[in-house]
């Protein structure tokens, strides 16, 4: 039989491999980030981590909150009730992105080995090359965009929490100096976010029957996610015990006092807590909504790893 239809087998070409120069940082790709046998949150008891490692994990949770909520607020561009509000919500989102960037960068400096395979951990590694199970944000910020009344209620609670948080960090003597500097700047930004949300909640709550109804519906929809803001997770407890950070449960009173005062001005009452409340965000347990959000947010970075412009 002729061999013309059976060409001789040839050895498959080996893929080209490039050896990095000694001392050069490992390029960040989806294959080199976040592929440890066990994610870092299971690496050990937080109480046994060094101060820098512990602070880094605490910072990542705060950064994840800010980044994810910034992504949600960005969805309002061109959809807000008026063009001025498009700009206002866009500016709030940019403030939160700035907070996230500063926190991620400092976390990478404190613990460069937080993600496996990366020698010089950068903010983009933490933002774009972790899975939803590796994010540490609370459930409140990842929930999908509702109507405007819902969003103002969500922003009211989140900004009240952040204001209490950063104010407490500034007063924490043992906190990382860079974190304190970030908090000093952030508390001024968050004060504007809180005031902006408060004015809208008062206007909507004390407005027409329809605006009052929608704002009340927003309060009811947000309520199950509020307790998680003030829940003490293992990392926060260990960091607070060492005087490195603020304990979430200590932030409840000032945040609730502010929200309650706003609701009173708006002629609204806070709904009673239901049987179910969100939990688990700080240990990587999320609603399905986060997966969809990250798929959109991370798509370009994952399609073109290492690209810059």
């Amino acid at each position: 039989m002729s061999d013309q239809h059976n060409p001789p087998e040839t050895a498959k070409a080996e893929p080209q491999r490039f050896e990095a120069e000694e001392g050069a940082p490992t390029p960040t790709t989806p294959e080199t980030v976040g592929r440890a046998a066990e994610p870092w949150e299971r690496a050990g008891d937080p109480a046994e981590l060094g101060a820098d490692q512990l602070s880094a994990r605490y910072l990542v949770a705060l950064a994840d909150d800010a980044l994810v909520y910034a992504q949600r607020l960005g969805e309002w561009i061109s959809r807000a009730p008026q063009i001025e509000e498009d700009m206002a919500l866009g500016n709030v989102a940019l403030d939160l992105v700035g907070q996230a960037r500063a926190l991620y960068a400092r976390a990478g400096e404190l613990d460069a080995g937080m993600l496996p395979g990366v020698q010089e951990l950068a903010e983009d590694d933490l933002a774009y090359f972790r899975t939803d199970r590796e994010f540490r944000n609370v459930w409140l910020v990842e929930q999908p965009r509702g109507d405007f009344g819902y969003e103002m209620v969500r922003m009211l609670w989140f900004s009240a929490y952040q204001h209490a948080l950063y104010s407490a960090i500034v007063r924490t003597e043992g906190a990382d100096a860079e974190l304190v500097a970030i908090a000093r700047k952030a508390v001024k930004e968050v004060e504007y976010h809180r005031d902006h949300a408060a004015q809208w909640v008062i206007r909507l709550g004390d407005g027409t029957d329809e605006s009052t109804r929608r704002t009340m519906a927003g309060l009811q929809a947000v309520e199950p996610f509020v307790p998680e803001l003030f829940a003490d997770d293992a990392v926060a407890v260990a960091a607070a015990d060492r005087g490195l950070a603020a304990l979430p449960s200590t932030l409840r009173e000032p945040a609730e006092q502010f929200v309650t005062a706003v609701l009173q001005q708006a002629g609204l009452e806070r709904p009673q807590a239901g049987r179910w409340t969100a939990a688990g965000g700080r240990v990587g347990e999320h609603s399905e909504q986060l997966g969809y959000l990250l798929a959109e947010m991370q798509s370009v970075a994952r399609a073109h790893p290492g690209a810059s412009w």
Side-chain angles (χ1 to χ4, degrees):
M1 179 179 291
S2 171
D3 289 337
Q4 61 179 345
H5 299 300
N6 297 282
E9 293 186 3
T10 57
K12 294 182 179 180
E14 289 291 326
Q16 289 182 296
R17 291 181 171 83
F18 299 91
E19 298 295 332
E21 295 181 8
E22 185 176 354
T26 302
T28 297
T29 70
E31 288 71 33
T32 63
V33 178
R35 297 296 183 267
E38 289 188 289
W40 54 260
E41 75 276 11
R42 297 177 186 171
D45 184 350
E48 298 177 358
L49 295 174
D52 286 352
Q53 288 181 308
L54 188 58
S55 292
R57 281 152 179 74
Y58 182 80
L59 267 62
V60 165
L62 307 188
D64 288 349
D65 283 345
L67 181 65
V68 172
Y69 194 37
Q71 185 74 5
R72 282 297 184 217
L73 287 176
E75 296 173 357
W76 277 100
I77 304 301
S78 80
R79 296 181 174 90
Q82 54 196 35
I83 192 170
E84 290 86 354
E85 198 59 26
D86 281 347
M87 298 176 64
L89 294 181
N91 284 330
V92 172
L94 287 174
D95 285 344
L96 293 174
V97 169
Q99 294 169 19
R101 291 190 62 186
L103 292 165
Y104 282 144
R106 184 53 180 163
E109 292 171 353
L110 290 171
D111 186 6
M114 188 183 303
L115 293 181
V118 181
Q119 295 177 0
E120 294 182 6
L121 187 62
E123 60 198 62
D124 282 1
D125 299 321
L126 291 166
Y128 297 127
F129 295 100
R130 284 182 298 151
T131 67
D132 55 347
R133 292 303 300 271
E134 294 168 317
F135 268 69
R136 295 292 164 266
N137 59 277
V138 292
W139 282 41
L140 175 65
V141 296
E142 69 194 41
Q143 298 312 299
R145 178 174 57 87
D147 67 15
F148 190 70
Y150 166 87
E151 197 61 72
M152 290 303 98
V153 171
R154 171 160 64 170
M155 184 187 291
L156 178 66
W157 269 115
F158 184 63
S159 57
Y161 154 75
Q162 276 199 315
H163 190 274
L165 167 71
Y166 288 127
S167 297
I169 288 174
V170 168
R171 299 191 300 268
T172 303
E173 293 184 3
D176 174 68
E178 288 294 326
L179 172 58
V180 172
I182 294 169
R184 288 187 189 280
K185 180 176 184 293
V187 75
K188 298 176 183 178
E189 298 170 339
V190 172
E191 189 169 1
Y192 162 75
H193 305 169
R194 190 180 65 162
D195 181 65
H196 186 79
Q199 290 186 40
W200 269 111
V201 169
I202 293 170
R203 182 189 300 182
L204 295 172
D206 194 28
T208 65
D209 291 343
E210 180 66 8
S211 69
T212 300
R213 181 188 69 79
R214 291 195 179 199
T215 309
M216 275 302 305
L219 285 167
Q220 292 171 347
V222 165
E223 184 62 31
F225 302 98
V226 171
E228 188 185 20
L229 293 170
F230 311 108
D232 294 335
D233 61 284
V235 169
V237 169
D241 285 347
R242 296 194 210 176
L244 302 173
L247 193 64
S249 58
T250 64
L251 311 175
R252 179 187 295 273
E253 184 176 354
E256 287 188 340
Q257 284 181 348
F258 184 85
V259 172
T260 298
V262 171
L263 295 183
Q264 288 176 347
Q265 283 187 264
L268 302 171
E269 292 185 6
R270 181 180 174 184
Q272 292 186 347
R275 297 177 61 184
W276 177 85
T277 57
R282 296 300 191 208
V283 294
E285 298 172 0
H286 297 281
S287 65
E288 66 176 352
Q289 306 300 334
L290 182 61
Y292 296 121
L293 182 149
L294 294 181
E296 180 179 9
M297 185 185 80
Q298 298 177 337
S299 59
V300 174
R302 287 179 177 267
H304 306 282
S308 61
W309 56 86

